[in-house]
């Protein structure tokens, strides 16, 4: 599971992302809703499904909080801080609700699922609590809440994949889009709350995934990211033909939509990514040469406590295999520091694997104990806070060095870059990414004919730790 942040240290709130007026927003809808998403890419993708379900029922999206009759927060529970951010945001809504008494507030996503009705007791202004598998019931729940009853649906499903729903692209750049391919997780990493909040693994109908990607391409999108907690365990069997589709086969089907459609995916579990996936990636130039391969810890002893089911040697062998099949592949990672009983030598093992893997970047976190997880039940959160912080700093410093080293090696090379829009710092420059997922900024003047959504071949002249700078 890769979260949507680009910072060095991951701070779950991609704070309060709202969106530009949507096509048709000015239409006279019976009610308007405002939705904010926190946490992983899957949550952002789910908010687009929620928007579609509400739109079908005649509700219009607004990016203006004051105009909204319904406010939804799509929440994250992965670390305690993520939940605190949501609680703080809820307190900010109190004032608005006082001014507009009929307005309804709904909490969606992982916090809703984890806390259930407790959330209603703890946060009095909340009217609806809706888990990630219950979004189809939103129209009914809104009606119930509108009648003055608190409305809750936190049922988890073994089947729900929202496969027939075409997401409404919120806050879209019109070039890149997320496509959900599976939901839930069966892995039970001991630190992780996701299997409890998102339920059992299930895969979405392959035909509906390819249809969604084809539709996106026809509407001008040029990159899709196939999303799932553990994409490599994607497995869908077609009841009519009895034929099963693996993740490698799905990747191939999506790559064949058009050579101009880039394909990315996230997240891979090191234990599940197969040679077949690597060969498929190598075979198609439009499948991006980039793998997010969370390590979590470099110590075999800690990995065992985390229930990751691989050793440090096994992980290193996987990295070696990736580089054998695709020498130019970028790899990134998630790392947790200060897990229960982590000693200095375990920490050094993590630094060692980071160095050996040569990550382009990493998302790095301090361990946060989550109620109900295996780790919370079995182990003591015994690494002192200041040790956790110091180790995190060391991990960040090393990653910064690795990122800069990797970018310096690209100076003088040329890359195909998909233009996503203006550079954040200047409208005279384009911003895009290369296949390896590195951000490339370059002058528009060098490419006067190009537009957002076009590909440019850019030669790298300079770099910072986070960006390649082109001609
Ligand atoms: N504490 C800290 N980080 C966590 N992650 C998952 N659970 C926890 C936790 N309890 C991290 C893992 C995962 C990423 C999405 O979040 O590194 O890969
Ligand atoms: Fe959590 Fe592990 Fe599943 Fe990722 S693979 S969502 S870390 S349980």
């Amino acid at each position: 599971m890769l979260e949507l942040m680009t910072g060095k240290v991951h701070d779950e709130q991609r704070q309060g992302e709202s969106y530009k007026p949507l096509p048709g927003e000015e239409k006279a809808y019976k009610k308007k809703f405002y939705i904010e998403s926190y946490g992983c890419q899957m949550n952002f993708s789910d908010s687009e499904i929620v928007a579609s379900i509400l739109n079908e029922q005649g509700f219009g999206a607004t990016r203006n909080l004051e105009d909204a009759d319904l406010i939804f927060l799509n929440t994250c529970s992965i670390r305690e801080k993520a939940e605190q951010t949501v609680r703080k945001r809820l307190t900010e809504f109190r004032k608005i609700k006082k001014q507009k008494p009929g307005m309804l507030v709904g909490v969606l996503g992982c916090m809703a699922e984890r806390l259930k009705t407790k959330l209603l007791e703890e946060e009095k202004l909340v009217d609806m609590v809706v888990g990630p598998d219950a979004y189809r019931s939103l129209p009914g729940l809104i009606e119930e809440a509108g009648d003055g009853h608190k409305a809750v649906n936190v049922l988890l499903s073994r089947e729900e994949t929202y496969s027939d729903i075409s997401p409404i692209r919120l806050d879209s750049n019109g070039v890149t889009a997320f496509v959900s391919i599976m939901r839930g997780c069966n892995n039970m990493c001991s630190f992780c709350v996701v299997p409890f909040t998102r339920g059992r693994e299930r895969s979405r109908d392959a035909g509906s995934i390819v249809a969604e990607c084809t539709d996106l391409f026809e509407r001008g999108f040029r990159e899709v990211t196939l999303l799932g907690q553990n994409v490599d365990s994607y497995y869908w069997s077609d009841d009519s033909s009895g034929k099963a589709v693996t993740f490698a086969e799905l990747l191939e089907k999506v790559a064949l939509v058009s050579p101009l459609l880039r394909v990315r995916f996230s997240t891979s579990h090191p234990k599940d990514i197969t040679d077949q996936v690597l060969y498929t990636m190598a075979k198609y130039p439009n499948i991006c040469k980039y793998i997010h391969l969370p390590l979590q810890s470099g110590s075999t002893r800690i990995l065992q406590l985390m229930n990751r089911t691989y050793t440090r040697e096994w992980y290193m062998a996987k990295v070696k295999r990736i580089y054998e099949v695709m020498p130019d592949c970028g790899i990134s990672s998630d790392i947790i520091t200060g897990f229960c009983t982590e000693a200095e030598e375990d920490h050094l093992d993590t630094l060692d694997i980071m160095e050996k893997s040569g990550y382009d970047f990493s998302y790095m976190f301090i361990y946060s104990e989550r109620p109900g997880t295996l780790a919370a039940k079995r182990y003591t959160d015994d690494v002192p806070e200041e040790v956790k912080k110091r180790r995190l700093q060391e991990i960040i410093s090393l990653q910064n060095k690795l990122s800069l080293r990797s970018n310096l090696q690209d100076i003088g090379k040329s890359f195909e870059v998909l233009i996503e829009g203006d550079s954040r710092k200047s409208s005279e420059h384009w911003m895009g990414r290369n296949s390896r997922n590195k951000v490339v900024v370059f002058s528009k003047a060098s490419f006067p004919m190009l537009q957002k959504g076009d590909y440019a071949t850019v030669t790298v002249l300079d770099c910072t730790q986070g960006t390649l700078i082109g001609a």
Side-chain angles (χ1 to χ4, degrees), residues 50 53 72-75 105-120 126-142 144-145 149-157 160 162 183 196-197:
V50 167
I53 292 172
F72 292 109
L73 292 188
N74 196 352
T75 61
V105 175
V107 174
L108 314 178
C110 289
M111 252 177 106
E113 194 61 51
R114 192 178 87 73
L115 294 162
K116 304 186 170 63
T117 50
K118 221 165 90 189
L119 198 56
L120 293 173
V126 173
D127 304 291
M128 289 169 277
V129 175
V130 191
D133 287 346
Y135 297 146
R136 285 183 203 268
S137 68
L138 266 168
L141 296 172
I142 292 169
E144 210 179 311
H149 308 290
K150 300 274 178 184
V152 180
N153 188 348
V154 287
L155 283 177
L156 285 173
S157 158
E160 182 63 273
Y162 300 111
R183 300 177 72 82
F196 303 96
T197 60

Side-chain angles (χ1 to χ4, degrees), residues 41-318:
Q41 292 168 329
M42 196 60 124
N43 259 10
F44 284 76
S45 166
D46 279 1
S47 292
E48 299 187 330
I49 288 169
V50 167
S52 172
I53 292 172
L54 294 179
N55 211 248
E56 283 279 299
Q57 296 294 317
F59 295 95
T62 175
R63 64 194 305 254
N64 191 351
L65 201 53
E66 279 73 33
D67 284 350
D69 305 290
L70 300 156
I71 295 182
F72 292 109
L73 292 188
N74 196 352
T75 61
C76 170
S77 283
I78 199 106
R79 282 167 289 276
E80 198 184 346
K81 207 170 131 225
E83 293 201 353
Q84 284 164 355
T85 305
V86 168
R87 294 214 190 240
K88 192 160 151 272
R89 188 67 175 137
L90 282 172
T91 62
E92 290 165 15
F93 293 157
R94 271 193 210 137
K95 217 170 93 206
I96 306 174
K97 202 168 173 178
K98 264 203 196 112
Q99 289 160 357
K100 208 172 171 184
M103 193 187 78
L104 300 175
V105 175
V107 174
L108 314 178
C110 289
M111 252 177 106
E113 194 61 51
R114 192 178 87 73
L115 294 162
K116 304 186 170 63
T117 50
K118 221 165 90 189
L119 198 56
L120 293 173
E121 290 153 31
E122 291 169 1
E123 306 286 346
K124 296 284 182 240
L125 89 164
V126 173
D127 304 291
M128 289 169 277
V129 175
V130 191
D133 287 346
Y135 297 146
R136 285 183 203 268
S137 68
L138 266 168
L141 296 172
I142 292 169
E143 213 163 292
E144 210 179 311
D147 289 341
H149 308 290
K150 300 274 178 184
V152 180
N153 188 348
V154 287
L155 283 177
L156 285 173
S157 158
R158 281 176 180 257
E159 286 98 35
E160 182 63 273
T161 57
Y162 300 111
S163 70
D164 56 318
I165 292 178
S166 332
I168 288 190
R169 306 291 161 184
L170 301 169
D171 196 33
S172 168
N173 60 10
V175 179
T176 61
F178 297 128
V179 175
S180 156
I181 65 161
M182 60 169 307
R183 300 177 72 82
C185 183
N186 288 354
N187 280 329
M188 299 304 271
C189 299
S190 67
F191 51 79
C192 189
V193 77
V194 168
F196 303 96
T197 60
R198 286 192 164 268
R200 307 288 294 171
E201 227 166 69
R202 66 220 95 121
S203 297
R204 177 179 168 192
D205 173 336
S208 79
I209 297 169
V210 174
E212 187 176 328
C213 295
T214 307
D215 175 59
L216 284 164
F217 181 73
E218 283 166 359
R219 285 162 48 206
F221 285 81
R222 289 295 173 264
E223 183 180 296
V224 290
T225 302
L226 307 181
L227 284 186
Q229 252 75 39
N230 183 12
V231 287
D232 299 284
S233 61
Y234 176 89
Y235 190 85
W236 183 76
S237 67
D238 186 341
D239 289 341
S240 53
S241 69
K243 198 179 161 335
V245 180
T246 64
F247 180 57
E249 287 160 350
L250 178 73
L251 258 185
E252 178 157 47
K253 283 178 192 291
V254 178
L256 288 170
V257 167
S258 165
L260 287 177
L261 181 70
R262 271 187 175 179
V263 188
R264 299 189 184 279
F265 55 89
S266 187
T267 287
S268 299
H269 193 301
K271 79 174 162 59
D272 293 322
I273 189 164
T274 59
D275 269 5
Q276 207 197 348
V277 168
L278 303 183
Y279 295 143
T280 308
M281 289 176 75
K283 182 171 165 195
Y284 291 92
N286 58 328
I287 303 182
C288 291
K289 305 297 175 279
Y290 164 66
I291 300 176
H292 184 61
L293 196 72
L295 167 67
Q296 313 298 4
S297 168
S299 151
T300 296
R301 187 181 70 83
I302 296 291
L303 286 168
Q304 208 161 19
L305 296 181
M306 287 177 161
N307 198 24
R308 287 292 285 179
T309 72
Y310 53 83
T311 61
R312 59 180 275 117
E313 290 74 23
W314 200 93
Y315 184 93
M316 280 315 303
K318 193 53 88 178

Side-chain angles (χ1 to χ4, degrees), residues 1 3 78-79 191 296 334 336 365-368 370:
M1 183 172 51
E3 285 174 80
I78 199 106
R79 282 167 289 276
F191 51 79
Q296 313 298 4
D334 288 347
I336 297 177
F365 316 98
I366 282 182
Y367 171 59
S368 163
R370 306 311 292 135

